[in-house]
Short mmCIF file of all heavy atoms in Angstrom, two decimals:
data_model
loop_
_atom_site.label_atom_id
_atom_site.label_comp_id
_atom_site.label_asym_id
_atom_site.label_seq_id
_atom_site.Cartn_x
_atom_site.Cartn_y
_atom_site.Cartn_z
N TRP A 200 1.26 152.33 63.72
CA TRP A 200 0.32 153.42 63.48
C TRP A 200 -1.11 152.93 63.66
O TRP A 200 -1.98 153.70 64.09
CB TRP A 200 0.52 153.99 62.09
CG TRP A 200 1.95 154.40 61.85
CD1 TRP A 200 2.83 153.85 60.97
CD2 TRP A 200 2.67 155.42 62.55
NE1 TRP A 200 4.06 154.47 61.07
CE2 TRP A 200 3.99 155.43 62.04
CE3 TRP A 200 2.35 156.33 63.56
CZ2 TRP A 200 4.97 156.30 62.49
CZ3 TRP A 200 3.32 157.20 64.02
CH2 TRP A 200 4.61 157.19 63.49
N ALA A 201 -1.39 151.68 63.34
CA ALA A 201 -2.74 151.13 63.52
C ALA A 201 -3.11 151.14 65.00
O ALA A 201 -4.27 151.42 65.35
CB ALA A 201 -2.81 149.72 62.95
N ARG A 202 -2.17 150.83 65.87
CA ARG A 202 -2.47 150.86 67.31
C ARG A 202 -2.83 152.27 67.77
O ARG A 202 -3.75 152.46 68.57
CB ARG A 202 -1.27 150.33 68.10
CG ARG A 202 -1.17 148.81 68.14
CD ARG A 202 -0.15 148.37 69.16
NE ARG A 202 1.20 148.64 68.70
CZ ARG A 202 1.96 147.78 68.01
NH1 ARG A 202 1.47 146.60 67.69
NH2 ARG A 202 3.19 148.09 67.64
N LEU A 203 -2.09 153.26 67.27
CA LEU A 203 -2.39 154.64 67.66
C LEU A 203 -3.75 155.08 67.12
O LEU A 203 -4.51 155.75 67.82
CB LEU A 203 -1.28 155.57 67.15
CG LEU A 203 0.09 155.37 67.79
CD1 LEU A 203 1.14 156.21 67.09
CD2 LEU A 203 0.05 155.71 69.27
N ALA A 204 -4.04 154.72 65.88
CA ALA A 204 -5.35 155.06 65.32
C ALA A 204 -6.46 154.37 66.10
O ALA A 204 -7.53 154.97 66.36
CB ALA A 204 -5.40 154.65 63.84
N ARG A 205 -6.21 153.13 66.51
CA ARG A 205 -7.21 152.41 67.29
C ARG A 205 -7.44 153.09 68.64
O ARG A 205 -8.58 153.19 69.11
CB ARG A 205 -6.76 150.96 67.51
CG ARG A 205 -7.70 150.18 68.40
CD ARG A 205 -7.14 148.82 68.75
NE ARG A 205 -7.88 148.21 69.84
CZ ARG A 205 -7.49 147.09 70.47
NH1 ARG A 205 -6.39 146.48 70.11
NH2 ARG A 205 -8.23 146.61 71.46
N ALA A 206 -6.37 153.60 69.26
CA ALA A 206 -6.51 154.27 70.54
C ALA A 206 -7.39 155.50 70.43
O ALA A 206 -8.22 155.78 71.31
CB ALA A 206 -5.13 154.67 71.08
N VAL A 207 -7.25 156.25 69.34
CA VAL A 207 -8.08 157.44 69.14
C VAL A 207 -9.53 157.04 68.96
O VAL A 207 -10.44 157.60 69.58
CB VAL A 207 -7.58 158.24 67.92
CG1 VAL A 207 -8.52 159.41 67.63
CG2 VAL A 207 -6.16 158.75 68.15
N GLU A 208 -9.77 156.04 68.10
CA GLU A 208 -11.14 155.60 67.85
C GLU A 208 -11.78 155.00 69.10
O GLU A 208 -12.96 155.24 69.39
CB GLU A 208 -11.17 154.60 66.70
CG GLU A 208 -10.82 155.21 65.35
CD GLU A 208 -11.69 156.41 65.03
OE1 GLU A 208 -12.94 156.31 65.22
OE2 GLU A 208 -11.16 157.45 64.61
N ASP A 209 -11.00 154.22 69.86
CA ASP A 209 -11.55 153.62 71.09
C ASP A 209 -11.94 154.69 72.09
O ASP A 209 -12.97 154.58 72.78
CB ASP A 209 -10.52 152.67 71.71
CG ASP A 209 -10.48 151.32 71.01
OD1 ASP A 209 -11.24 151.14 70.04
OD2 ASP A 209 -9.70 150.45 71.43
N ALA A 210 -11.12 155.74 72.22
CA ALA A 210 -11.44 156.82 73.17
C ALA A 210 -12.72 157.52 72.75
O ALA A 210 -13.59 157.83 73.60
CB ALA A 210 -10.28 157.81 73.24
N ARG A 211 -12.88 157.78 71.47
CA ARG A 211 -14.10 158.45 70.99
C ARG A 211 -15.33 157.55 71.14
O ARG A 211 -16.41 158.02 71.52
CB ARG A 211 -13.92 158.84 69.53
CG ARG A 211 -12.89 159.97 69.34
CD ARG A 211 -12.52 160.15 67.88
NE ARG A 211 -11.62 161.29 67.72
CZ ARG A 211 -10.94 161.56 66.60
NH1 ARG A 211 -11.07 160.76 65.54
NH2 ARG A 211 -10.14 162.61 66.54
N ARG A 212 -15.15 156.27 70.86
CA ARG A 212 -16.27 155.34 70.95
C ARG A 212 -16.73 155.18 72.41
O ARG A 212 -17.95 155.17 72.69
CB ARG A 212 -15.86 153.98 70.38
CG ARG A 212 -17.02 152.98 70.25
CD ARG A 212 -16.54 151.65 69.70
NE ARG A 212 -15.84 151.82 68.43
CZ ARG A 212 -14.54 151.62 68.25
NH1 ARG A 212 -13.79 151.25 69.27
NH2 ARG A 212 -13.99 151.77 67.06
N GLU A 232 -10.14 160.81 79.34
CA GLU A 232 -9.29 160.13 78.37
C GLU A 232 -9.54 160.68 76.97
O GLU A 232 -8.59 160.95 76.21
CB GLU A 232 -9.54 158.62 78.39
CG GLU A 232 -8.64 157.83 77.47
CD GLU A 232 -8.87 156.33 77.56
OE1 GLU A 232 -9.34 155.86 78.62
OE2 GLU A 232 -8.58 155.63 76.57
N VAL A 236 -6.88 162.71 74.54
CA VAL A 236 -6.57 162.22 73.20
C VAL A 236 -6.85 163.30 72.16
O VAL A 236 -6.05 163.50 71.23
CB VAL A 236 -7.38 160.94 72.90
CG1 VAL A 236 -7.31 160.59 71.41
CG2 VAL A 236 -6.87 159.78 73.73
N ASP A 419 3.39 153.04 72.30
CA ASP A 419 2.20 153.18 71.47
C ASP A 419 0.93 152.85 72.24
O ASP A 419 -0.11 152.53 71.66
CB ASP A 419 2.30 152.27 70.24
CG ASP A 419 3.35 152.76 69.26
OD1 ASP A 419 3.51 153.98 69.13
OD2 ASP A 419 4.03 151.91 68.64
N GLY A 420 0.99 152.91 73.58
CA GLY A 420 -0.18 152.64 74.39
C GLY A 420 -0.24 151.19 74.84
O GLY A 420 0.73 150.43 74.69
N TYR A 421 -1.38 150.80 75.40
CA TYR A 421 -1.52 149.45 75.95
C TYR A 421 -3.00 149.07 76.00
O TYR A 421 -3.88 149.93 75.93
CB TYR A 421 -0.92 149.37 77.34
CG TYR A 421 -1.56 150.32 78.35
CD1 TYR A 421 -2.60 149.89 79.17
CD2 TYR A 421 -1.13 151.64 78.46
CE1 TYR A 421 -3.20 150.75 80.07
CE2 TYR A 421 -1.71 152.51 79.36
CZ TYR A 421 -2.75 152.06 80.16
OH TYR A 421 -3.35 152.92 81.05
N HIS A 428 -9.97 147.88 75.73
CA HIS A 428 -9.80 148.96 74.75
C HIS A 428 -8.34 149.44 74.76
O HIS A 428 -7.65 149.31 75.76
CB HIS A 428 -10.76 150.11 75.04
CG HIS A 428 -10.29 151.07 76.08
ND1 HIS A 428 -10.44 150.85 77.44
CD2 HIS A 428 -9.67 152.28 75.97
CE1 HIS A 428 -9.95 151.86 78.11
NE2 HIS A 428 -9.46 152.74 77.25
N TRP A 429 -7.89 149.95 73.62
CA TRP A 429 -6.49 150.36 73.50
C TRP A 429 -6.33 151.77 74.07
O TRP A 429 -6.94 152.72 73.59
CB TRP A 429 -6.03 150.31 72.05
CG TRP A 429 -4.53 150.36 71.95
CD1 TRP A 429 -3.76 151.44 71.65
CD2 TRP A 429 -3.62 149.28 72.19
NE1 TRP A 429 -2.42 151.09 71.69
CE2 TRP A 429 -2.31 149.78 72.01
CE3 TRP A 429 -3.80 147.93 72.53
CZ2 TRP A 429 -1.17 148.98 72.16
CZ3 TRP A 429 -2.67 147.15 72.68
CH2 TRP A 429 -1.39 147.66 72.50
N VAL A 430 -5.50 151.89 75.11
CA VAL A 430 -5.30 153.16 75.80
C VAL A 430 -4.19 153.94 75.10
O VAL A 430 -3.09 153.44 74.89
CB VAL A 430 -4.93 152.94 77.27
CG1 VAL A 430 -4.74 154.29 77.99
CG2 VAL A 430 -6.01 152.12 77.98
N HIS A 431 -4.48 155.16 74.74
CA HIS A 431 -3.54 156.03 74.02
C HIS A 431 -2.32 156.34 74.90
O HIS A 431 -2.46 156.45 76.12
CB HIS A 431 -4.25 157.33 73.62
CG HIS A 431 -3.52 158.15 72.63
ND1 HIS A 431 -2.47 158.98 72.96
CD2 HIS A 431 -3.69 158.29 71.28
CE1 HIS A 431 -2.03 159.60 71.87
NE2 HIS A 431 -2.75 159.20 70.84
N PRO A 432 -1.13 156.49 74.31
CA PRO A 432 0.05 156.81 75.14
C PRO A 432 -0.03 158.12 75.89
O PRO A 432 0.73 158.34 76.84
CB PRO A 432 1.21 156.82 74.12
CG PRO A 432 0.57 156.95 72.78
CD PRO A 432 -0.76 156.26 72.90
#
Side-chain angles (χ1 to χ4, degrees):
W200 306 114
R202 279 192 288 269
L203 294 173
R205 175 188 167 190
V207 175
E208 292 306 314
D209 281 1
R211 291 168 176 168
R212 188 181 305 112
E232 184 178 334
V236 168
D419 290 325
Y421 60 94
H428 83 277
W429 196 260
V430 180
H431 193 280

